[in-house]
Amino acid sequence: MKQLIFTFKSSDNKTKTIRLSAFSGPLDPQGAQNFLETLVATDIVRKNGVSYFTQPVSAKIVTTTTDTIYKAAEEE
């Protein structure tokens, strides 16, 4: 499974992330940077006076694999 993870710093200096599990196509570094910077510029997510996305930190694609080492037999 692939996940696209964007990381930001909030106005209270905490780390905030956006995780996308359903995405398609390649994502280049410039496209990722544009998304991060656009989200910061719009200041769209605020809660209790804290702006969630004030500084872009990173964008990465994380790929996980699952190896089943045991599976019980299904009953018929």
Side-chain angles (χ1 to χ4, degrees):
M1 182 169 110
K2 283 187 175 182
Q3 279 192 332
L4 180 54
I5 302 174
F6 294 99
T7 306
F8 300 85
K9 285 289 187 182
S10 63
S11 61
D12 61 353
N13 204 35
K14 293 185 179 176
T15 301
K16 303 294 182 186
T17 59
I18 296 175
R19 294 174 185 269
L20 302 174
S21 295
F23 69 97
S24 62
L27 181 65
D28 63 5
Q30 187 61 50
Q33 181 179 357
N34 289 345
F35 175 78
L36 290 161
E37 291 174 353
T38 299
L39 202 54
V40 167
T42 59
D43 193 26
I44 196 167
V45 181
R46 296 177 74 73
K47 184 175 180 182
N48 298 327
V50 175
S51 180
Y52 273 35
F53 310 121
T54 59
Q55 179 183 352
V57 175
S58 68
K60 55 188 165 190
I61 295 173
V62 176
T63 304
T64 57
T65 58
T66 302
D67 296 321
T68 302
I69 59 172
Y70 169 80
K71 183 176 181 182
E74 294 182 16
E75 293 184 30
E76 292 183 26

